[in-house]
């Protein structure tokens, strides 16, 4: 079996630059297989995979030899399933939110994951797509946490203000930790393959705002 994977949160307060300098992927560790019963599997380090934006960095991987599932340890600053970092993505969206128009924002923002020769129409599409993705994500998160975020607008600026942080998306990795495998990119992490349950994950509590678990 190949290609089965799951992402776990690599709790980290490092910035991208600090992570690269410290080779943070070497410090990622997992005490035990998150899939198998204790003692049933010898979890192995499984090298790294490379990310290229905003510069070359690596993400540590582990392998569960029993199931063939690889486990990527994504540090909190990285966007999931998109290039780049959450702070860079969020900053682009924040600037677009206060710009007089998407065109003006696109003119000003230099997308970090597009080649230097980016044209204005390309940059406009880039900004529109990110606005849509992030605003839709924030609306979903607000629905999950109405007590904390119910009065926010689904914007980066409103979330930053409410959470008193310079990067709402990074803060949400912690705040939404138990929802990460159900949330979309770039906040949510790659969920385990169908039928696989991660150990140590609590079932949604009946009093919480969780949607009912998907039927297998
Ligand atoms: Zn295992």
């Amino acid at each position: 079996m190949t290609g089965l994977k799951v992402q776990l949160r690599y709790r980290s307060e490092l910035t991208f630059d600090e992570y690269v300098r410290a080779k943070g992927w070497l410090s990622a560790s997992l005490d035990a297989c998150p899939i198998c019963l204790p003692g049933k599997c010898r979890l192995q380090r499984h090298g790294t995979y490379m990310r290229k934006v905003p510069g070359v960095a690596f993400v540590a991987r582990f392998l569960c030899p029993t199931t063939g599932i690889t486990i990527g340890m994504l540090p909190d600053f990285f966007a999931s399933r998109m290039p780049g970092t959450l702070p860079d993505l969020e900053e682009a969206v924040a600037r677009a939110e206060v710009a007089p128009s998407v065109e003006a924002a696109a003119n000003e923002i230099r997308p970090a994951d597009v080649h230097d020769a980016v044209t204005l129409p390309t940059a406009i599409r880039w900004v529109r797509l990110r606005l849509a993705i992030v605003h839709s994500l924030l609306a979903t998160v607000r629905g999950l946490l109405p007590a904390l975020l119910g009065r926010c607008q689904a914007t980066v600026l409103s979330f930053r203000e409410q959470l008193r942080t310079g990067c709402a998306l990074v803060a949400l990795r912690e705040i939404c930790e138990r929802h990460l495998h159900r949330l979309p990119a770039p906040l949510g992490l790659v969920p385990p393959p169908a039928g696989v349950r991660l150990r140590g994950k609590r079932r949604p509590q009946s009093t919480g705002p969780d949607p009912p678990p998907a039927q297998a």
Side-chain angles (χ1 to χ4, degrees):
M1 264 190 301
T2 57
L4 297 179
K5 59 184 177 180
V6 60
Q7 277 178 330
L8 295 184
R9 180 177 170 224
Y10 179 16
R11 281 166 179 273
S12 171
E13 293 182 2
L14 300 182
T15 64
F16 172 80
D17 288 336
E18 290 165 346
Y19 176 81
V20 169
R21 253 199 313 276
K23 295 188 167 63
W25 52 93
L26 297 178
S27 310
S29 63
L30 266 181
D31 296 338
C33 181
I35 300 156
C36 302
L37 290 169
K40 293 290 180 194
C41 151
R42 291 178 74 96
L43 191 71
Q44 300 165 3
R45 281 199 173 264
H46 193 58
T48 56
Y49 68 91
M50 188 198 290
R51 297 196 36 142
K52 295 181 178 172
V53 180
V56 170
F58 298 90
V59 172
R61 254 192 323 213
F62 291 82
L63 171 69
C64 164
T66 306
T67 62
I69 295 172
T70 59
I71 301 143
M73 301 295 290
L74 195 73
D76 281 343
F77 59 79
F78 262 141
S80 167
R81 296 172 279 181
M82 284 180 66
T85 67
L86 292 176
D88 287 351
L89 170 67
E90 177 170 322
E91 189 55 28
V93 172
R95 285 161 71 175
E97 286 174 2
V98 296
S101 66
V102 172
E103 288 76 8
N107 239 336
E108 179 197 320
I109 297 164
R110 219 183 136 106
D113 58 347
V114 179
H115 290 300
D116 289 349
V118 60
T119 61
L120 185 58
T122 304
I124 290 171
R125 272 199 302 279
W126 188 97
V127 171
R128 277 218 177 97
L129 178 63
R130 277 149 188 81
L131 271 170
I133 289 170
V134 171
H135 286 174
S136 153
L137 172 68
L138 295 180
T140 301
V141 169
R142 182 178 58 188
L144 286 173
L145 303 168
L148 178 63
L149 300 166
R151 295 166 74 179
C152 290
Q153 292 181 285
T155 64
V156 162
L157 295 184
S158 180
F159 270 56
R160 281 181 177 176
E161 191 182 338
Q162 172 68 12
L163 299 175
R164 297 199 176 88
T165 176
C167 188
L169 292 177
V170 171
L172 289 172
R173 278 270 166 82
E174 168 82 30
I175 295 166
C176 298
E177 182 164 27
R178 70 198 194 91
H179 303 290
L180 288 176
H181 284 130
R182 279 177 290 154
L183 282 167
L187 181 66
L189 302 175
V190 174
V196 174
R197 284 193 91 115
L198 295 183
R199 288 168 31 72
K201 279 192 88 178
R202 298 220 180 98
R203 278 190 216 145
Q205 290 166 12
S206 55
T207 53
D210 293 321
Q215 297 297 313

